Amino acid sequence: MILSLGPQHPATHGTLRLVVRLDGERVIAADPIIGYMHRGYEKLTEYRTYPQITTLINRIDWLSSFANEVPFIHAAERLMGIEAPPRSEWIRTILTELSRISTFLLFLGEMGLQVGAITPAFYGFRDREYVLNLIEAVTGGRFHPNFNRIGGIKDDLPWGWIADCRTTMRKVFESCDTFDNLVLQNPIFEQRTRSIGIIPPELGAAYGVSGSNLRASGVDWDLRRDGKPYLAYRELDWKVWTHPDGDSFARYWVRLQETRESARMVLQLLDGLPSGPLMAKVPRIIKVPEGEVWVNTENPLGEMGYYVVSKGATGPFRVKIRSASFSNVSILPWLLKGVYVPDIVTILAGLYFILGDIDR
């Protein structure tokens, strides 16, 4: 029997069609079909100026949009030989980690929904609002901030924001405890996720799987620590979380620990936030010198990178985007082979990908 799932399904953020061939209830082959969104971001960047491009790229992964802006802005800054002031880099780090927290809180709630528990989803959406309110207070946008500038950031933190952020981080810790008790220690959740969708570490790396999905397979690799230094991560005391099992349960467990870790990082950043300017000196009309550069960062869904080629104009000659979701989904044909139909949805939800991050 051939079963077509999608292209619309509650377990996918966007439109993904999955064609599976079944023997009884067991999957013998799976073929993910992408490309329904027709977004064309890479081509559109060739017809925009550098400052205009941030309005495009923060829509790639719409759940963690601020984090999408950072690697592209860093690529332009490196080509121009500009270094953003420390205060702006620290604020960028805060907002990047807030994007990670808001993304993961939604995952922590929705994953419960995929195994039949609707209450965690309510908590996830509610708790994410606390973090989105913080991002909106700084940038003016909840999903598409367009807050980064080449050489710095648009504005400083508003008055009273730091105190509000500390209060919200305490709520994040409480939220993580709630998900720990409500979902992670639930016997039904364990039965539906333990030993389901196991990704061996070597195979995951071979497919280009990255981020929390790879760390849940025991691979101790995080670009915030292991990549080329960027933002303020080298100034912080934090831990990279891994889990040896590589199954759907492990992927949930790792994201729960990483949410707590991001909240700890934000509190450290608030304590050590340096004073000073927010913008470096940049020309009024930005022309990027001829050259090419590759910048990759650890985004909430995994490794995201931009390869930018400049011919010295006001816009790039070519931009190639490496997003995490495309590689994370590429392992699906291997991962779904041999599983039962009800496990397909939990595996899809556990991988946690955004289709906008795939259809570029």
Side-chain angles (χ1 to χ4, degrees):
M1 174 184 176
I2 294 177
L3 179 65
S4 181
L5 298 173
Q8 299 283 356
H9 193 280
T12 64
H13 292 269
T15 45
L16 170 71
R17 183 179 173 216
L18 194 64
V19 179
V20 292
R21 188 182 300 274
L22 302 175
D23 179 12
E25 282 201 47
R26 191 179 286 271
V27 177
I28 57 176
D31 184 17
I33 299 173
I34 61 175
Y36 285 92
M37 302 187 72
H38 306 292
R39 311 187 91 198
Y41 284 132
E42 291 184 358
K43 193 65 180 174
L44 286 171
T45 59
E46 298 175 12
Y47 297 92
R48 301 288 189 278
T49 65
Y50 285 93
Q52 290 173 335
I53 289 173
T54 53
T55 63
L56 293 173
I57 57 177
N58 62 33
R59 286 165 166 78
I60 295 174
D61 165 13
W62 49 70
L63 290 184
S64 46
S65 48
F66 183 88
N68 295 348
E69 296 179 12
V70 171
F72 178 79
I73 289 292
H74 277 172
E77 288 174 346
R78 287 184 193 177
L79 283 170
M80 296 180 71
I82 292 175
E83 190 169 336
R87 184 174 178 84
S88 64
E89 286 287 81
W90 280 59
I91 293 175
R92 283 174 176 175
T93 315
I94 292 172
L95 293 172
T96 298
E97 290 308 307
L98 290 181
S99 295
R100 179 181 301 271
I101 293 170
S102 68
T103 303
F104 283 3
L105 285 175
L106 190 62
F107 166 81
L108 296 172
E110 282 194 340
M111 186 67 182
L113 183 64
Q114 307 309 328
V115 296
I118 195 169
T119 303
F122 291 144
Y123 285 135
F125 276 99
R126 180 200 65 183
D127 298 342
R128 186 181 69 144
E129 286 298 305
Y130 301 141
V131 183
L132 291 180
N133 288 341
L134 289 174
I135 295 174
E136 183 183 18
V138 178
T139 67
R142 300 175 73 78
F143 290 100
H144 307 300
N146 190 25
F147 189 66
N148 282 283
R149 299 290 183 270
I150 295 175
I153 54 176
K154 179 174 175 288
D155 290 315
D156 207 341
L157 301 176
W159 185 86
W161 189 87
I162 291 178
D164 291 342
C165 190
R166 292 187 201 281
T167 303
T168 303
M169 290 305 101
R170 286 194 288 273
K171 289 180 180 176
V172 169
F173 289 128
E174 293 170 3
S175 302
C176 291
D177 293 340
T178 299
F179 288 121
D180 201 331
N181 295 326
L182 192 64
V183 180
L184 206 57
Q185 298 182 31
N186 185 297
I188 298 175
F189 182 78
E190 280 204 53
Q191 289 171 9
R192 295 292 308 278
T193 56
R194 286 278 194 189
S195 302
I196 302 294
I198 297 175
I199 300 176
E202 298 82 6
L203 193 71
Y207 271 96
V209 175
S210 61
S212 311
N213 289 329
L214 191 61
R215 289 189 285 275
S217 295
V219 179
D220 187 12
W221 184 64
D222 191 314
L223 284 170
R224 291 174 293 178
R225 181 196 63 188
D226 305 320
K228 191 170 183 178
Y230 73 101
L231 295 181
Y233 292 114
R234 296 297 169 100
E235 308 293 331
L236 306 177
D237 179 21
W238 60 287
K239 177 180 178 181
V240 175
W241 291 90
T242 62
H243 195 288
D245 291 350
D247 54 16
S248 296
F249 183 90
R251 291 189 274 278
Y252 190 93
W253 185 90
V254 165
R255 288 197 178 94
L256 181 63
Q257 309 310 320
E258 291 188 350
T259 305
R260 291 190 175 107
E261 199 66 43
S262 291
R264 295 188 192 101
M265 293 165 74
V266 169
L267 291 175
Q268 290 182 55
L269 289 159
L270 295 176
D271 290 338
L273 188 64
S275 58
L278 298 172
M279 283 290 296
K281 290 185 178 179
V282 295
R284 188 175 181 83
I285 298 177
I286 292 175
K287 286 188 176 181
V288 174
E290 191 169 340
E292 52 191 75
V293 67
W294 161 253
V295 174
N296 58 342
T297 57
E298 185 72 31
N299 277 27
L301 298 183
E303 181 186 5
M304 185 170 194
Y306 293 86
Y307 181 72
V308 180
V309 179
S310 173
K311 295 290 187 182
T314 55
F317 174 76
R318 178 77 174 94
V319 174
K320 177 72 180 73
I321 304 170
R322 192 279 189 205
S323 64
S325 295
F326 182 83
S327 298
N328 290 346
V329 165
S330 68
I331 200 172
L332 274 178
W334 180 89
L335 193 59
L336 294 181
K337 192 174 182 179
V339 307
Y340 289 100
V341 171
D343 295 331
I344 295 175
V345 171
T346 59
I347 291 172
L348 290 178
L351 281 176
Y352 200 41
F353 49 85
I354 303 293
L355 267 301
D357 205 33
I358 295 174
D359 298 337
R360 301 182 301 273

